Each structure stands twice: as structure tokens, then as C-alpha cells.
Amino acid sequence: MSDSETARKVFEALKLAQQEPAQQALPILNGLVGLVQGNGEQPMEVEDARASAFLAICEVGKALHRGQPTDGLYVSAINAAERWMALAR
């Protein structure tokens, strides 16, 4: 799977998870971990965008696990995934 396809899959999964309750969203986010781990083979800008998406997804997951609000965190994660998609083209 290309980096662009991976970024799109992550973006779509985040949009789906955002609409689900925490118990259903957490497994979706956990399934993204393998997708967002980098291999260092992309240009630095793409790797930076991927890493930002990874960190944002982790923040959403932590908040879900703790029962904290996630609205702003989802926005950040989705924006990071969009940036990754744009750069990975």
C-alpha cells in the first residue's frame, strides 16, 4: 500500500471513529497503529506529517481511554491526516 493510500485509510478511519462511542472507537484507533508507524523511506516532510498524525491519534486514544472529551482532538488528528494525504501524493 502506498503512503498516500495509507494516509487516506487513516483519514477515513478517523472520520468513522469520530462518530462512534468510545468503546467502538478505541479498537478502530488501535488498528491504525501499524499503519502510521513510519519506515523512514519518504521525504522528511511526509515523515513529519505521518508522525504528527500518529501523535494526534495517540492523544485521541488516551482521551477516549480516560473518558475525556475528544472533539478538538479528533479535529487535530483529522487535520494531521489530511496534511499527510496532501504531502504523500
Side-chain angles (χ1 to χ4, degrees):
M1 182 178 329
S2 74
D3 212 47
S4 178
E5 293 168 328
T6 302
R8 177 163 298 287
K9 187 171 182 174
V10 168
F11 173 79
E12 291 169 357
L14 282 167
K15 295 293 274 185
L16 174 65
Q18 184 180 27
Q19 299 172 6
E20 299 293 333
Q23 290 182 333
Q24 282 78 38
L26 274 170
I28 294 169
L29 297 179
N30 287 338
L32 298 178
V33 172
L35 293 176
V36 293
Q37 291 177 337
N39 55 18
E41 296 179 12
Q42 296 296 321
M44 181 64 76
E45 296 84 13
V46 176
E47 286 297 316
D48 181 58
R50 182 211 44 81
S52 294
F54 176 77
L55 292 174
I57 290 166
C58 290
E59 290 300 315
V60 174
K62 286 192 303 188
L64 287 172
H65 184 72
R66 295 174 180 162
Q68 297 172 337
T70 57
D71 292 339
L73 296 174
Y74 269 115
V75 170
S76 295
I78 289 168
N79 288 341
E82 285 178 321
R83 180 173 173 258
W84 182 21
M85 282 191 311
L87 292 171
R89 291 182 184 192

